[in-house]
Amino acid sequence: KCNILLKFAEDLEQMKPLCKTMTGRLDALFGASRRVCVVSHLHPDGDAIGSSTALVSYLRGRGADAVAVVPDAYPETLSFLTGPGTVLVASEDEASVRARLAAADLIVCVDFNSPSRTGILEEPLRAAVCPKVMIDHHLQPETEGFALVFSETEVSSASELLFHVLLAMPDIGDDAGRLSPDAARALMAGMTTDTNNFANSVFPSTLSMASALLGAGVDRDSLLAHLYNSYSESRFRAMGVFLKDRMHITADGVAYSIFSREDNSRLGLKDGDTDGFVNLPLGIGKVRMSIFLREDAGFFRVSVRSKKGCSSNALARAHFHGGGHECAAGGRVFFPGDIASREDAAQYIENVTARFLQSESPSE
């Protein structure tokens, strides 16, 4: 058992010897495993689908029966990454997914730091007796129960971390051109979406990855067309409602917006249609933090984004049953529970953010 938090140096040459022992163990696990499940988090985004499908492609190239497993549906704009049989959605056939997890001889968890972030998959994931590996870039990883943990926050995305790990595999040999075209494209997609198309969380290693994948033949123009030019009309109509009628800004510089279930229905919104909305208010000079709530059954999904010096992660952990990165996090608000009813959501946001910003010291 080797629960090590892998720390990457910004210099890629310095990174390689740090990886060697752990990637050697990972290579041995890959070689010994025939039935592999690659699991990701609730409400899978571009990084979750990108990293998980890239790893599936790589493992299938090594002869494994590999499949990606997600708790619930992913946005239609990511369907270009998911060929037939590549991704199993637990909310669509929970019994089959549970059986697949129970029969696996290796489970790789990507883009989440705790099984609690997998919803209906948490119990079967924890119960699985096969070796488990974590490859993640979020703060505070829960390492118990994992045979190997690759955890690094100073990378753009789980896709970037996986890219560096795969390049350390003997069959890839630090040559991105040896990745399959599907894996290379999926890794680029995951990194692109998690950086908001290079607008945030970009490190020297991120640009090295992008350069290597472009050199390996990834068609970035086609990728961007799939990711950003194939949205539904309802997304853009909802964006107008978000900006005109739903966005509120407090005296403390917190922008918050709430979409009810009636809004979702009236606007014809599907999963993924509101992705990125939470970032829009940060373009306003006086806004320090942006919070977006979208109603689900008995709770609100919460997305939090902030400017440097204001911790989204700390707020989400303290008040939204969640967490994430310093300037990008998420969670939930339950009703009844955190609030008596959904009508109390706005006041709850104003109350907790006022207290939080008064007590929080500036982040480094």
Side-chain angles (χ1 to χ4, degrees), residues 50-79:
S51 57
S52 58
T53 58
L55 185 53
V56 166
S57 178
Y58 171 75
L59 291 169
R60 287 179 174 179
R62 293 184 58 153
D65 176 13
V67 66
V69 176
V70 294
D72 51 6
Y74 52 88
E76 290 182 5
T77 53
L78 300 175
S79 59

Side-chain angles (χ1 to χ4, degrees), residues 75 77 231-232 234-236 238-239 267-275 277 294:
T77 53
Y231 288 120
S232 65
S234 60
R235 170 183 169 84
F236 286 87
M239 191 180 297
L267 294 166
L269 296 177
K270 298 180 180 178
D271 281 325
D273 277 347
T274 58
D275 286 356
F277 281 16
R294 182 170 170 179

Side-chain angles (χ1 to χ4, degrees), residues 134-317:
M134 177 188 289
I135 301 175
D136 181 55
H137 68 130
H138 295 90
L139 299 167
Q140 293 97 24
E142 180 185 319
T143 62
E144 184 177 356
F146 289 91
L148 282 170
V149 175
F150 294 82
S151 176
E152 172 54 53
T153 60
E154 296 297 303
V155 292
S156 65
S157 54
S159 294
E160 183 187 335
L161 180 55
L162 176 61
F163 170 79
H164 297 311
V165 170
L166 290 180
L167 258 61
M169 293 289 102
D171 57 331
I172 302 301
D174 201 33
D175 181 0
R178 294 183 180 177
L179 294 167
S180 71
D182 285 346
R185 182 177 62 169
L187 290 169
M188 182 74 96
M191 179 270 290
T192 299
T193 56
D194 237 32
T195 61
N196 191 20
N197 199 14
F198 296 94
N200 52 262
S201 301
V202 175
F203 298 86
S205 57
T206 312
L207 298 178
S208 296
M209 170 191 178
S211 178
L213 291 176
L214 288 172
V218 172
D219 184 343
R220 180 166 156 78
D221 290 337
S222 173
L223 186 76
L224 294 179
H226 281 294
L227 293 175
Y228 301 119
N229 295 331
S230 59
Y231 288 120
S232 65
E233 178 183 346
S234 60
R235 170 183 169 84
F236 286 87
R237 298 196 179 280
M239 191 180 297
V241 172
F242 175 93
L243 293 170
K244 181 177 183 293
D245 299 325
R246 296 293 184 271
M247 184 175 67
H248 305 276
I249 303 177
T250 71
D252 296 311
V254 176
Y256 70 89
S257 307
I258 302 170
F259 271 19
S260 67
R261 296 187 83 178
E262 289 80 6
D263 288 328
N264 297 334
S265 177
R266 177 174 58 84
L267 294 166
L269 296 177
K270 298 180 180 178
D271 281 325
D273 277 347
T274 58
D275 286 356
F277 281 16
V278 68
N279 295 307
L280 298 174
L282 294 178
I284 300 171
K286 65 181 178 180
V287 171
R288 304 166 60 191
M289 176 177 282
S290 174
I291 302 173
F292 177 48
L293 276 65
R294 182 170 170 179
E295 187 181 354
D296 210 319
F299 64 91
F300 288 98
R301 303 182 195 178
V302 182
S303 297
V304 187
R305 300 292 184 271
S306 58
K307 294 176 180 175
K308 189 173 181 180
C310 191
S311 177
S312 295
N313 177 60
L315 177 70
R317 289 174 62 83

